[in-house]
Amino acid sequence: MSGTAGLVIPCKAAVAWEAGKPLVMERVEVAPPQAMEVRMKVKYTSLCHTDLYFWEAKGQNPLFPRIFGHEAAGVVESVGEGVSDVAVGDHVLPVFTGECGECSHCQSEESNMCDLLRINTERGVMLSDGKSRFSIDGSPINHFLGTSTFSEYTVVHAGCLVKINPLAPMDKVCVLSCGISTGLGATLNVAKPKQGSSVAIFGLGAVGLAAAEGARIAGASRIIGVDLNPNRFEEAKKFGVNEFVNPKDHDRPVQQVIAEMTNGGVDRSVECTGNINAMVSAFECVHDGWGVAVLVGVPNKDAVFMTKPINLLNERTLKGTFFGNYKPRSDLPSVVDMYMNKKLEVDKFITHRVPFSDINKAFDLMVKGEGLRCIISMEE
Ligand code: NAD
Ligand code: ZN
Ligand code: ZN
């Protein structure tokens, strides 16, 4: 055990006090991990659109003050009672959805929706005792997605922590802890395009471009990128996207434009925007008879998906996924290995880097739609 094991650790954290207001660098106290929990030192973290959504709290329930952040890499500082899978000093990725290993979902080959540790965006406390491990002057600060990585130290359930190859560079593989694995898995594990097929990707942020990367790896020949932001198209060429559609350039629905381009529809589509209209278009643009659409974007909490049932009767399939259907602890180490073996390129997703003290710049970039992933270095 490290010298700090069992003690409260005071450290820096970027606290969101109010919806949409810049995060404030605060001195927080991080309590020791309880049974089945791990305290980790966060080394690198990055910003995913899901953080931005819950920070803006426009279409989500507001819960403040809160420490956001869920895409990260770090080192185990200490472990609570009963933790045997990771030890002090292990390199780890926290994941917003966990794997208890025992429930019916964890036992099923088809699901990663663990009963105990599946994503819960509303909870701001730890599962074991319903309390927060973060406080300022004795007042609790809410957790986010069970990860809260915008803090130098955080406490995570052991089932949400993945031990990785210690040789993997943490300032790169941190992006595999959410966005890149999600997009990649949405295509490879859920949409499953065949060699030579056509795939439409809605939303060309990091998650969508990782979905495009999956389509490239699967051997798709037409990869059609759809985005409202034309600045995305040039960058997307590096990810194998070879045709582009901006819905704003057309006076008819984008699903119609895509159907015309593809003789009736694409074989697969993957939606990575969070926008309900894009979700419906992503479904309606797949070919009847065999088309499969996969929803990945996190929607506004009141959004309702509306389509004519005949679209389903005509043998189209609609699916959705969290974390690209990867079981975090079982499957993520192999995604890290795909990067180490140069099968998966991660570096091209990293367009910006900032020291922790400049974390609000990462938010500004994402709000403006600039760049893909911004790595936040905790030790600078
Ligand atoms: P991002 O902001 O980097 O990219 C989103 C892109 O979608 C932008 O380029 C934007 O211009 C585009 N867009 C928005 N509305 C559109 C529309 N109507 N039509 C076409 N394009 C549109 O975000 P990101 O970090 O890549 O995340 C993408 C989505 O995936 C978010 O909704 C995020 O919450 C979600 N997400 C889901 C999971 C999961 O497990 N299901 C995991 C990670 C992220
Ligand atoms: Zn994410
Ligand atoms: Zn489980």
Side-chain angles (χ1 to χ4, degrees), residues 68-95:
F68 287 105
H70 62 284
E71 225 177 64
V75 177
V76 173
E77 175 270 336
S78 62
V79 301
E81 206 186 305
V83 175
S84 55
D85 288 357
V86 293
V88 175
D90 281 350
H91 291 198
V92 286
L93 304 182
V95 179

Side-chain angles (χ1 to χ4, degrees), residues 205-229:
V207 177
L209 291 175
E213 191 76 354
R216 184 186 61 79
I217 292 170
S221 55
R222 293 183 73 180
I223 306 178
I224 304 172
V226 183
D227 205 298
L228 298 170
N229 176 357

Side-chain angles (χ1 to χ4, degrees), residues 196-200 215 220-224 240 242-243 261-263 266:
S197 61
S198 57
V199 181
S221 55
R222 293 183 73 180
I223 306 178
I224 304 172
N242 47 26
E243 293 172 65
M261 289 165 66
T262 54
N263 200 16
V266 281

